[in-house]
Amino acid sequence: MYQFLYNLIGNEILAGLLVAVVPLTIILVFALFGIWLERKVSAHMQDRLGPMRTGWHGWLQTVADLMKMLQKEDIIATDADKTLYNIAPVLVFSGSFAAYAVIPFSSKLLGSEVEIGIFYVLAISSLVVAGILMAGWSANNKYSLLGAMRAVAQIISYEIPTALIVLSMVMLTGTLSLDKISQMQTSSFWNWNIFGGAIFGLSKFLLIPFMFIGALIIFISTLAEVNRVPFDIPEAESELVAGYFTEYCGMKWGMFMLAEYGNMFAVSAIITILFFGGYQSPIGYFGNSISAQWLVPFEQGFWFIAKGLTLVFVQMWLRWTLPRLRVDQLMTVCWKYLIPYAFLNLIIIGIISLL
Amino acid sequence: MGLLDKEFSDGNIVIAKVDDLMNWARLSSIWQLGFGLACCAIEMMATSASHYDFDRFGVIPRNTPRQADAIIISGTVTLKMATRIKRLYEQMPDPKYIISMGSCANCGGPYWEHGYHVLKGIDRVIPVDVYVPGCPPRPEALLEGLLKLQEKIRNESLRKKIA
Amino acid sequence: MALKTETMVLNMGPQHPSTHGVLRLELEAEGELILSVKPHIGYLHRCFEKHAEAMTYPQVIPYTDRLDYLAAMGNNFGYVIAVEKLLGIQIPERVEYIRVIMAELQRIASHLVAIATNGADIGALTPFLYLFRDREYILSLFEMTCGARMLYNYMWIGGLSHDIHPDFVRKTKEFINHFRPTVVELNNLLTFNKIFIERTAGIGILPIDTAINFGATGPVLRGSGLAFDVRREDPYSIYNRFEFEIPTGKGLVGTVGDCWDRYYVRVLEMEQSVRIIEQAIDNIPEGDVHSAIPKRIKPPKGTVYARVENPRGELGYFIISDGNLNPFRVKVRAPSFVNLEVMGELCKGHLVADVIAILGSLDIVLGEIDR
Amino acid sequence: MKNPEEIFELLKNEFGEAILSLDKETPTEPIISINSLQIHKIGAFLRDSDEFKVDSLMVLSGVDDANGTKIKDEDGVDVINGGTLSVYYHLHSTSLKHKITLKVSTQREDPKVESVYNVWRTSDWHEREAFDMFGIIFLNHPDLRRILMPYDWEAGYPLRKDYKNPEFYQGMKVPY
């Protein structure tokens, strides 16, 4: 996409900025939609209706929320560390925003075709940790601090199983590029990595159970990385009021919120790419069959977003069903169960792929 | 600085339209401070629950005053609590609204005469936008109070008040 | 070498999402570990006892409603029993039956809120809304009887304010049919949820002798394993005519007396209440609910202590009469007030998150703690 | 299960002078009056002896008997001079099922009662409440502070019959 624009405009910076607009639009639109979806999903699960007064079934609710937030007074407590306090939301947001740069929404729509895409995502999302710690520390509020400490411990711990599963997938596919991983799983859902990838023979069938385990582990650990129930202890409403963003108000808080929903989709996208075929259609392309090649990228976009939203929906489903774990139990889940199983999975997948 | 801090001296059509949009945003997303004081708090919870569903109006409870727009004084305010409520109110960012729910918060309610430790009306401490009568008010009454607050917000303006 | 660190004082409340009102907890914490918990109460002190001294006997009843506002019927019940004892009057059978049905319905409604908030504190928000939905059903039964949803002023000295609605019996049976499956659903959704058990089993264990010494009653005491229920121990009204069991904590998933036991006792108690209602609802005798209400309520000099089993435990009214139209002194033994005292004992050595679980399992109502 | 007369006799034999009287005239429950400075000893005995096993304090209530003389002070406000404040202890035994009501009285001007904090921990907050509402000093109570009223409440003890409410508290008007 960048190359295309560069050829068109001939200016590196302008092309770069234009490319950046795409993920920004996507993240904003998704956040608007995601927050509304969350409220509607929760409402319907709870025998309620959810927002109803702003447009059809309240679809403008998030717009109203955001516009209201823009109007709010911006309070910075006297004792807060002002620099850190102001940087933190930006950092958190840019962390989750930057991850979108390498996510291939379709074969034509991806910000940057970096070869080390998945590595980049893991690295850049660590910015979020720094932002959260800054937010918790600078607000000079004990609840914020507790929330930030919890968040950092949690996110860093859960990055290990995530990374291990990613590693096993990289081992299997032999590439770090998200686009290439997506391309490999083409033509039918039987070629998705969760079904052993586009290989044939015995090893495919041997791989399937371990792929399922791997997908489960990475789903759980990314759930924890984006602080969703049952791992939402950093912002545990009933314990820590609102966790690390207790003291934030107005749009600064809104940025945390956007980042959270952005992250939700980002991790779903990563899982989709690694296991569920990325932007590949499970049933072949309509555009190919009527020989309208221009239709294919749009179909791919549709499939990608549909798969991502399905995973997001599962996250929400869990959120409104399960209670929350305690901080030590959370660590137990990570260190005693997820990491050993992820290691085991890595070794077994390695052996099988050598067969 | 919030956008509303600035007042415009002359009204024109642009400001009127912007007003409408801003007011619409504010009145559609009144986030209440999630805290309860007494009996009325239970009715407030019932209002948020499935049967009455506050969320239809975009009202969700936020637990920290920093992210709340309205505070529903749901119950008897005692002298010991009044200072804390004042502080909570001061922690909320502008624009902020108060709904006084129930007789106790309005005027002391049944405790007006012998309540040596009851504040006779929250409006002695913080300014109130809407009073909802009842002991406790039914959820429908609270919803009505909310609609009244929305009406009030709808008529706000960026223009300088003439008076 | 041990690193020297300072402890952190964490102020929880009076405005905090899970202090169930305006309780303030002063936590001394080392990181997440709790060293001590000091509850500060009185943020809802509404001077009930002063009001009782200034009002006539019937006028006190609406104020009793507002003590434990989740179980207003139970509060009325205790007070009118105390005054009736003082007056020495007999009340009609019909009144007794209706009172028992109302008190048991109220117990279910109150336990629903208790369970709901306990779950919500631990993070399960959906069961909270489900249970509030079911509570509405009971409230509509009360509403059709006396017109109020929460604070009823329904039981009067010697009678009731209104007779039951002609549809009441049918609707109550409908409710029971609706309610039984709800409990099963609740158990599937929350009670035996693995995470919920992890969070509550083995947390905040209250040994039986400590519970008695602290004077804990109700589900808190029964959760520790002692089958103490005022309805059985010191039968008032007509409770000795009904068959019901007293559920106790058995340590089904953890240790006896932990948060989960206290929680589960409430679930089981709701089923027992349904049993009592079923036994009573078909046997309501005919009669007039106003016939025994005295024209002028002026008890003789004397003192009385009457206690009833409220959803939260033993609710007692100690009334001193000096022979006037108003009581000389009314002292309320509020179950939550006593139950909350064990908070400091229970929380030692637990984590911040456990404080919430423990507080939720004690099920306090600030209205009666502060009075 | 023992009736009040038996309990009274047993206590009389054990403690003699400290047990003052048995008040049977009240229609509903007989009350045993005892010396206010011996209550801890008697409570511990009641709890530990096998005959009583009174392991639970149901309620501890402070009462202003208002039996002194009413006089007007210099501002023309009614105050009560002399007389007594009382504390009632409602006890019961979870194993033997009997109930006992004890009463201690103390001088209004210098109200001192022994604390039973060590016997029944229930009394902890109840004693603080009685202190808060009536100003009864419980000797040996480890943490006798106000409990319901604000810690900085200076206007006296609200449930005393001659209590006058202040006009302002921290700048907030108190009366209606």
Side-chain angles (χ1 to χ4, degrees), chain C residues 59-88:
Chain C
Q59 279 176 338
V60 176
I61 298 173
Y63 288 94
T64 64
D65 276 333
R66 285 156 182 80
L67 288 174
D68 178 353
Y69 37 77
L70 286 173
M73 286 288 181
N75 295 319
N76 287 176
F77 205 178
Y79 178 76
V80 295
I81 282 181
V83 179
E84 280 157 7
K85 242 183 179 174
L86 209 53
L87 287 165

PDB file of all heavy atoms in Angstrom, chain C residues 59-88:
ATOM      1  N   GLN C  59     -46.145   5.301  65.150  1.00  0.00           N
ATOM      2  CA  GLN C  59     -45.361   6.167  64.264  1.00  0.00           C
ATOM      3  C   GLN C  59     -43.938   5.666  64.056  1.00  0.00           C
ATOM      4  O   GLN C  59     -43.271   6.071  63.111  1.00  0.00           O
ATOM      5  CB  GLN C  59     -45.299   7.588  64.843  1.00  0.00           C
ATOM      6  CG  GLN C  59     -46.529   8.403  64.556  1.00  0.00           C
ATOM      7  CD  GLN C  59     -46.473   9.763  65.222  1.00  0.00           C
ATOM      8  OE1 GLN C  59     -45.748   9.958  66.194  1.00  0.00           O
ATOM      9  NE2 GLN C  59     -47.262  10.684  64.719  1.00  0.00           N
ATOM     10  N   VAL C  60     -43.495   4.786  64.950  1.00  0.00           N
ATOM     11  CA  VAL C  60     -42.121   4.308  64.822  1.00  0.00           C
ATOM     12  C   VAL C  60     -41.992   3.343  63.649  1.00  0.00           C
ATOM     13  O   VAL C  60     -40.935   3.224  63.044  1.00  0.00           O
ATOM     14  CB  VAL C  60     -41.670   3.647  66.148  1.00  0.00           C
ATOM     15  CG1 VAL C  60     -40.293   3.047  66.017  1.00  0.00           C
ATOM     16  CG2 VAL C  60     -41.691   4.662  67.256  1.00  0.00           C
ATOM     17  N   ILE C  61     -43.106   2.678  63.291  1.00  0.00           N
ATOM     18  CA  ILE C  61     -43.018   1.594  62.308  1.00  0.00           C
ATOM     19  C   ILE C  61     -42.381   2.037  60.986  1.00  0.00           C
ATOM     20  O   ILE C  61     -41.501   1.354  60.475  1.00  0.00           O
ATOM     21  CB  ILE C  61     -44.418   0.963  62.091  1.00  0.00           C
ATOM     22  CG1 ILE C  61     -44.902   0.358  63.395  1.00  0.00           C
ATOM     23  CG2 ILE C  61     -44.355  -0.109  61.019  1.00  0.00           C
ATOM     24  CD1 ILE C  61     -46.308  -0.140  63.356  1.00  0.00           C
ATOM     25  N   PRO C  62     -42.789   3.172  60.409  1.00  0.00           N
ATOM     26  CA  PRO C  62     -42.120   3.566  59.158  1.00  0.00           C
ATOM     27  C   PRO C  62     -40.625   3.766  59.320  1.00  0.00           C
ATOM     28  O   PRO C  62     -39.872   3.542  58.378  1.00  0.00           O
ATOM     29  CB  PRO C  62     -42.795   4.900  58.804  1.00  0.00           C
ATOM     30  CG  PRO C  62     -44.045   4.935  59.556  1.00  0.00           C
ATOM     31  CD  PRO C  62     -43.878   4.089  60.756  1.00  0.00           C
ATOM     32  N   TYR C  63     -40.197   4.154  60.496  1.00  0.00           N
ATOM     33  CA  TYR C  63     -38.758   4.324  60.687  1.00  0.00           C
ATOM     34  C   TYR C  63     -38.051   2.976  60.749  1.00  0.00           C
ATOM     35  O   TYR C  63     -36.902   2.856  60.319  1.00  0.00           O
ATOM     36  CB  TYR C  63     -38.478   5.125  61.955  1.00  0.00           C
ATOM     37  CG  TYR C  63     -38.830   6.579  61.808  1.00  0.00           C
ATOM     38  CD1 TYR C  63     -40.068   7.062  62.189  1.00  0.00           C
ATOM     39  CD2 TYR C  63     -37.930   7.465  61.248  1.00  0.00           C
ATOM     40  CE1 TYR C  63     -40.406   8.381  62.013  1.00  0.00           C
ATOM     41  CE2 TYR C  63     -38.249   8.793  61.075  1.00  0.00           C
ATOM     42  CZ  TYR C  63     -39.490   9.253  61.458  1.00  0.00           C
ATOM     43  OH  TYR C  63     -39.807  10.564  61.276  1.00  0.00           O
ATOM     44  N   THR C  64     -38.742   1.967  61.272  1.00  0.00           N
ATOM     45  CA  THR C  64     -38.107   0.654  61.294  1.00  0.00           C
ATOM     46  C   THR C  64     -37.887   0.148  59.877  1.00  0.00           C
ATOM     47  O   THR C  64     -36.905  -0.532  59.612  1.00  0.00           O
ATOM     48  CB  THR C  64     -38.952  -0.371  62.067  1.00  0.00           C
ATOM     49  OG1 THR C  64     -40.186  -0.557  61.387  1.00  0.00           O
ATOM     50  CG2 THR C  64     -39.210   0.048  63.473  1.00  0.00           C
ATOM     51  N   ASP C  65     -38.804   0.472  58.964  1.00  0.00           N
ATOM     52  CA  ASP C  65     -38.614   0.112  57.560  1.00  0.00           C
ATOM     53  C   ASP C  65     -37.241   0.513  57.068  1.00  0.00           C
ATOM     54  O   ASP C  65     -36.608  -0.193  56.302  1.00  0.00           O
ATOM     55  CB  ASP C  65     -39.608   0.898  56.681  1.00  0.00           C
ATOM     56  CG  ASP C  65     -40.946   0.229  56.602  1.00  0.00           C
ATOM     57  OD1 ASP C  65     -40.982  -0.983  56.757  1.00  0.00           O
ATOM     58  OD2 ASP C  65     -41.939   0.941  56.398  1.00  0.00           O
ATOM     59  N   ARG C  66     -36.832   1.690  57.481  1.00  0.00           N
ATOM     60  CA  ARG C  66     -35.635   2.291  56.905  1.00  0.00           C
ATOM     61  C   ARG C  66     -34.357   1.840  57.595  1.00  0.00           C
ATOM     62  O   ARG C  66     -33.284   2.350  57.267  1.00  0.00           O
ATOM     63  CB  ARG C  66     -35.785   3.810  56.947  1.00  0.00           C
ATOM     64  CG  ARG C  66     -36.752   4.288  55.879  1.00  0.00           C
ATOM     65  CD  ARG C  66     -37.392   5.603  56.170  1.00  0.00           C
ATOM     66  NE  ARG C  66     -38.333   5.968  55.114  1.00  0.00           N
ATOM     67  CZ  ARG C  66     -39.579   5.484  55.027  1.00  0.00           C
ATOM     68  NH1 ARG C  66     -40.023   4.611  55.931  1.00  0.00           N
ATOM     69  NH2 ARG C  66     -40.370   5.846  54.049  1.00  0.00           N
ATOM     70  N   LEU C  67     -34.476   0.919  58.541  1.00  0.00           N
ATOM     71  CA  LEU C  67     -33.253   0.385  59.152  1.00  0.00           C
ATOM     72  C   LEU C  67     -32.550  -0.523  58.156  1.00  0.00           C
ATOM     73  O   LEU C  67     -31.553  -0.181  57.575  1.00  0.00           O
ATOM     74  CB  LEU C  67     -33.596  -0.414  60.410  1.00  0.00           C
ATOM     75  CG  LEU C  67     -34.035   0.397  61.611  1.00  0.00           C
ATOM     76  CD1 LEU C  67     -34.468  -0.547  62.699  1.00  0.00           C
ATOM     77  CD2 LEU C  67     -32.898   1.258  62.088  1.00  0.00           C
ATOM     78  N   ASP C  68     -33.127  -1.699  57.978  1.00  0.00           N
ATOM     79  CA  ASP C  68     -32.579  -2.614  56.991  1.00  0.00           C
ATOM     80  C   ASP C  68     -33.485  -2.517  55.781  1.00  0.00           C
ATOM     81  O   ASP C  68     -34.472  -3.217  55.670  1.00  0.00           O
ATOM     82  CB  ASP C  68     -32.559  -4.028  57.565  1.00  0.00           C
ATOM     83  CG  ASP C  68     -32.041  -5.021  56.562  1.00  0.00           C
ATOM     84  OD1 ASP C  68     -31.833  -4.623  55.407  1.00  0.00           O
ATOM     85  OD2 ASP C  68     -31.853  -6.179  56.919  1.00  0.00           O
ATOM     86  N   TYR C  69     -33.139  -1.604  54.883  1.00  0.00           N
ATOM     87  CA  TYR C  69     -34.090  -1.284  53.818  1.00  0.00           C
ATOM     88  C   TYR C  69     -34.246  -2.404  52.803  1.00  0.00           C
ATOM     89  O   TYR C  69     -35.076  -2.315  51.932  1.00  0.00           O
ATOM     90  CB  TYR C  69     -33.720   0.027  53.142  1.00  0.00           C
ATOM     91  CG  TYR C  69     -32.253   0.279  52.981  1.00  0.00           C
ATOM     92  CD1 TYR C  69     -31.527  -0.360  52.005  1.00  0.00           C
ATOM     93  CD2 TYR C  69     -31.588   1.176  53.818  1.00  0.00           C
ATOM     94  CE1 TYR C  69     -30.183  -0.127  51.859  1.00  0.00           C
ATOM     95  CE2 TYR C  69     -30.235   1.410  53.679  1.00  0.00           C
ATOM     96  CZ  TYR C  69     -29.541   0.753  52.698  1.00  0.00           C
ATOM     97  OH  TYR C  69     -28.212   0.992  52.548  1.00  0.00           O
ATOM     98  N   LEU C  70     -33.405  -3.417  52.912  1.00  0.00           N
ATOM     99  CA  LEU C  70     -33.619  -4.544  52.009  1.00  0.00           C
ATOM    100  C   LEU C  70     -34.595  -5.543  52.593  1.00  0.00           C
ATOM    101  O   LEU C  70     -35.063  -6.429  51.899  1.00  0.00           O
ATOM    102  CB  LEU C  70     -32.292  -5.239  51.715  1.00  0.00           C
ATOM    103  CG  LEU C  70     -31.389  -4.469  50.768  1.00  0.00           C
ATOM    104  CD1 LEU C  70     -30.054  -5.141  50.668  1.00  0.00           C
ATOM    105  CD2 LEU C  70     -32.023  -4.369  49.408  1.00  0.00           C
ATOM    106  N   ALA C  71     -34.872  -5.446  53.872  1.00  0.00           N
ATOM    107  CA  ALA C  71     -35.772  -6.401  54.496  1.00  0.00           C
ATOM    108  C   ALA C  71     -36.740  -5.657  55.404  1.00  0.00           C
ATOM    109  O   ALA C  71     -36.810  -5.884  56.601  1.00  0.00           O
ATOM    110  CB  ALA C  71     -34.983  -7.433  55.289  1.00  0.00           C
ATOM    111  N   ALA C  72     -37.483  -4.744  54.814  1.00  0.00           N
ATOM    112  CA  ALA C  72     -38.334  -3.870  55.613  1.00  0.00           C
ATOM    113  C   ALA C  72     -39.427  -4.651  56.330  1.00  0.00           C
ATOM    114  O   ALA C  72     -39.783  -4.342  57.463  1.00  0.00           O
ATOM    115  CB  ALA C  72     -38.946  -2.794  54.725  1.00  0.00           C
ATOM    116  N   MET C  73     -39.954  -5.674  55.683  1.00  0.00           N
ATOM    117  CA  MET C  73     -40.999  -6.477  56.323  1.00  0.00           C
ATOM    118  C   MET C  73     -40.478  -7.097  57.621  1.00  0.00           C
ATOM    119  O   MET C  73     -41.166  -7.106  58.633  1.00  0.00           O
ATOM    120  CB  MET C  73     -41.444  -7.599  55.394  1.00  0.00           C
ATOM    121  CG  MET C  73     -42.298  -7.133  54.253  1.00  0.00           C
ATOM    122  SD  MET C  73     -43.931  -6.658  54.781  1.00  0.00           S
ATOM    123  CE  MET C  73     -44.649  -6.220  53.222  1.00  0.00           C
ATOM    124  N   GLY C  74     -39.282  -7.613  57.571  1.00  0.00           N
ATOM    125  CA  GLY C  74     -38.700  -8.230  58.762  1.00  0.00           C
ATOM    126  C   GLY C  74     -38.549  -7.234  59.896  1.00  0.00           C
ATOM    127  O   GLY C  74     -38.779  -7.556  61.064  1.00  0.00           O
ATOM    128  N   ASN C  75     -38.191  -6.012  59.544  1.00  0.00           N
ATOM    129  CA  ASN C  75     -38.033  -4.997  60.580  1.00  0.00           C
ATOM    130  C   ASN C  75     -39.363  -4.652  61.224  1.00  0.00           C
ATOM    131  O   ASN C  75     -39.464  -4.519  62.443  1.00  0.00           O
ATOM    132  CB  ASN C  75     -37.425  -3.737  59.988  1.00  0.00           C
ATOM    133  CG  ASN C  75     -36.035  -3.947  59.494  1.00  0.00           C
ATOM    134  OD1 ASN C  75     -35.250  -4.615  60.136  1.00  0.00           O
ATOM    135  ND2 ASN C  75     -35.744  -3.418  58.343  1.00  0.00           N
ATOM    136  N   ASN C  76     -40.372  -4.499  60.388  1.00  0.00           N
ATOM    137  CA  ASN C  76     -41.722  -4.245  60.914  1.00  0.00           C
ATOM    138  C   ASN C  76     -42.110  -5.356  61.860  1.00  0.00           C
ATOM    139  O   ASN C  76     -42.620  -5.128  62.960  1.00  0.00           O
ATOM    140  CB  ASN C  76     -42.748  -4.254  59.775  1.00  0.00           C
ATOM    141  CG  ASN C  76     -42.661  -3.018  58.897  1.00  0.00           C
ATOM    142  OD1 ASN C  76     -43.349  -2.914  57.918  1.00  0.00           O
ATOM    143  ND2 ASN C  76     -41.805  -2.088  59.259  1.00  0.00           N
ATOM    144  N   PHE C  77     -41.859  -6.572  61.390  1.00  0.00           N
ATOM    145  CA  PHE C  77     -42.259  -7.771  62.122  1.00  0.00           C
ATOM    146  C   PHE C  77     -41.666  -7.748  63.535  1.00  0.00           C
ATOM    147  O   PHE C  77     -42.383  -7.898  64.537  1.00  0.00           O
ATOM    148  CB  PHE C  77     -41.748  -8.985  61.342  1.00  0.00           C
ATOM    149  CG  PHE C  77     -42.524 -10.234  61.575  1.00  0.00           C
ATOM    150  CD1 PHE C  77     -42.177 -11.394  60.888  1.00  0.00           C
ATOM    151  CD2 PHE C  77     -43.585 -10.276  62.450  1.00  0.00           C
ATOM    152  CE1 PHE C  77     -42.882 -12.556  61.068  1.00  0.00           C
ATOM    153  CE2 PHE C  77     -44.287 -11.438  62.638  1.00  0.00           C
ATOM    154  CZ  PHE C  77     -43.940 -12.584  61.952  1.00  0.00           C
ATOM    155  N   GLY C  78     -40.352  -7.521  63.619  1.00  0.00           N
ATOM    156  CA  GLY C  78     -39.703  -7.523  64.928  1.00  0.00           C
ATOM    157  C   GLY C  78     -40.286  -6.471  65.841  1.00  0.00           C
ATOM    158  O   GLY C  78     -40.572  -6.728  67.017  1.00  0.00           O
ATOM    159  N   TYR C  79     -40.510  -5.297  65.301  1.00  0.00           N
ATOM    160  CA  TYR C  79     -40.985  -4.206  66.137  1.00  0.00           C
ATOM    161  C   TYR C  79     -42.404  -4.471  66.636  1.00  0.00           C
ATOM    162  O   TYR C  79     -42.701  -4.321  67.825  1.00  0.00           O
ATOM    163  CB  TYR C  79     -40.922  -2.893  65.363  1.00  0.00           C
ATOM    164  CG  TYR C  79     -41.445  -1.723  66.145  1.00  0.00           C
ATOM    165  CD1 TYR C  79     -40.690  -1.164  67.155  1.00  0.00           C
ATOM    166  CD2 TYR C  79     -42.709  -1.198  65.881  1.00  0.00           C
ATOM    167  CE1 TYR C  79     -41.170  -0.104  67.887  1.00  0.00           C
ATOM    168  CE2 TYR C  79     -43.198  -0.134  66.605  1.00  0.00           C
ATOM    169  CZ  TYR C  79     -42.423   0.408  67.607  1.00  0.00           C
ATOM    170  OH  TYR C  79     -42.911   1.457  68.327  1.00  0.00           O
ATOM    171  N   VAL C  80     -43.278  -4.908  65.725  1.00  0.00           N
ATOM    172  CA  VAL C  80     -44.662  -5.101  66.176  1.00  0.00           C
ATOM    173  C   VAL C  80     -44.743  -6.264  67.165  1.00  0.00           C
ATOM    174  O   VAL C  80     -45.527  -6.212  68.114  1.00  0.00           O
ATOM    175  CB  VAL C  80     -45.647  -5.303  65.001  1.00  0.00           C
ATOM    176  CG1 VAL C  80     -45.726  -4.068  64.163  1.00  0.00           C
ATOM    177  CG2 VAL C  80     -45.321  -6.501  64.160  1.00  0.00           C
ATOM    178  N   ILE C  81     -43.900  -7.267  66.975  1.00  0.00           N
ATOM    179  CA  ILE C  81     -43.904  -8.362  67.946  1.00  0.00           C
ATOM    180  C   ILE C  81     -43.496  -7.844  69.313  1.00  0.00           C
ATOM    181  O   ILE C  81     -44.104  -8.177  70.330  1.00  0.00           O
ATOM    182  CB  ILE C  81     -42.975  -9.492  67.462  1.00  0.00           C
ATOM    183  CG1 ILE C  81     -43.679 -10.302  66.390  1.00  0.00           C
ATOM    184  CG2 ILE C  81     -42.569 -10.384  68.611  1.00  0.00           C
ATOM    185  CD1 ILE C  81     -42.865 -11.430  65.874  1.00  0.00           C
ATOM    186  N   ALA C  82     -42.475  -6.994  69.331  1.00  0.00           N
ATOM    187  CA  ALA C  82     -42.024  -6.451  70.611  1.00  0.00           C
ATOM    188  C   ALA C  82     -43.133  -5.666  71.279  1.00  0.00           C
ATOM    189  O   ALA C  82     -43.415  -5.847  72.478  1.00  0.00           O
ATOM    190  CB  ALA C  82     -40.799  -5.573  70.383  1.00  0.00           C
ATOM    191  N   VAL C  83     -43.795  -4.809  70.530  1.00  0.00           N
ATOM    192  CA  VAL C  83     -44.827  -3.971  71.151  1.00  0.00           C
ATOM    193  C   VAL C  83     -46.026  -4.820  71.549  1.00  0.00           C
ATOM    194  O   VAL C  83     -46.636  -4.596  72.607  1.00  0.00           O
ATOM    195  CB  VAL C  83     -45.232  -2.823  70.202  1.00  0.00           C
ATOM    196  CG1 VAL C  83     -46.305  -1.972  70.842  1.00  0.00           C
ATOM    197  CG2 VAL C  83     -44.042  -1.979  69.866  1.00  0.00           C
ATOM    198  N   GLU C  84     -46.355  -5.814  70.723  1.00  0.00           N
ATOM    199  CA  GLU C  84     -47.477  -6.681  71.086  1.00  0.00           C
ATOM    200  C   GLU C  84     -47.181  -7.447  72.362  1.00  0.00           C
ATOM    201  O   GLU C  84     -48.069  -7.672  73.189  1.00  0.00           O
ATOM    202  CB  GLU C  84     -47.783  -7.641  69.928  1.00  0.00           C
ATOM    203  CG  GLU C  84     -48.597  -6.990  68.824  1.00  0.00           C
ATOM    204  CD  GLU C  84     -48.452  -7.687  67.494  1.00  0.00           C
ATOM    205  OE1 GLU C  84     -47.832  -8.754  67.447  1.00  0.00           O
ATOM    206  OE2 GLU C  84     -48.934  -7.136  66.488  1.00  0.00           O
ATOM    207  N   LYS C  85     -45.945  -7.839  72.521  1.00  0.00           N
ATOM    208  CA  LYS C  85     -45.544  -8.521  73.757  1.00  0.00           C
ATOM    209  C   LYS C  85     -45.750  -7.587  74.943  1.00  0.00           C
ATOM    210  O   LYS C  85     -46.241  -7.985  75.991  1.00  0.00           O
ATOM    211  CB  LYS C  85     -44.068  -8.896  73.672  1.00  0.00           C
ATOM    212  CG  LYS C  85     -43.764 -10.387  73.740  1.00  0.00           C
ATOM    213  CD  LYS C  85     -42.253 -10.506  73.711  1.00  0.00           C
ATOM    214  CE  LYS C  85     -41.762 -11.921  73.788  1.00  0.00           C
ATOM    215  NZ  LYS C  85     -40.315 -11.973  73.606  1.00  0.00           N
ATOM    216  N   LEU C  86     -45.373  -6.346  74.746  1.00  0.00           N
ATOM    217  CA  LEU C  86     -45.490  -5.356  75.804  1.00  0.00           C
ATOM    218  C   LEU C  86     -46.961  -5.105  76.138  1.00  0.00           C
ATOM    219  O   LEU C  86     -47.344  -4.965  77.293  1.00  0.00           O
ATOM    220  CB  LEU C  86     -44.821  -4.061  75.332  1.00  0.00           C
ATOM    221  CG  LEU C  86     -44.208  -3.106  76.328  1.00  0.00           C
ATOM    222  CD1 LEU C  86     -43.240  -3.821  77.233  1.00  0.00           C
ATOM    223  CD2 LEU C  86     -43.473  -2.024  75.578  1.00  0.00           C
ATOM    224  N   LEU C  87     -47.789  -5.077  75.104  1.00  0.00           N
ATOM    225  CA  LEU C  87     -49.211  -4.826  75.310  1.00  0.00           C
ATOM    226  C   LEU C  87     -49.932  -6.081  75.772  1.00  0.00           C
ATOM    227  O   LEU C  87     -50.996  -6.004  76.389  1.00  0.00           O
ATOM    228  CB  LEU C  87     -49.849  -4.348  73.997  1.00  0.00           C
ATOM    229  CG  LEU C  87     -49.545  -2.940  73.532  1.00  0.00           C
ATOM    230  CD1 LEU C  87     -49.933  -2.783  72.081  1.00  0.00           C
ATOM    231  CD2 LEU C  87     -50.273  -1.923  74.380  1.00  0.00           C
ATOM    232  N   GLY C  88     -49.364  -7.228  75.445  1.00  0.00           N
ATOM    233  CA  GLY C  88     -50.006  -8.489  75.782  1.00  0.00           C
ATOM    234  C   GLY C  88     -51.275  -8.741  74.992  1.00  0.00           C
ATOM    235  O   GLY C  88     -52.287  -9.153  75.541  1.00  0.00           O
TER     236      GLY C  88
END
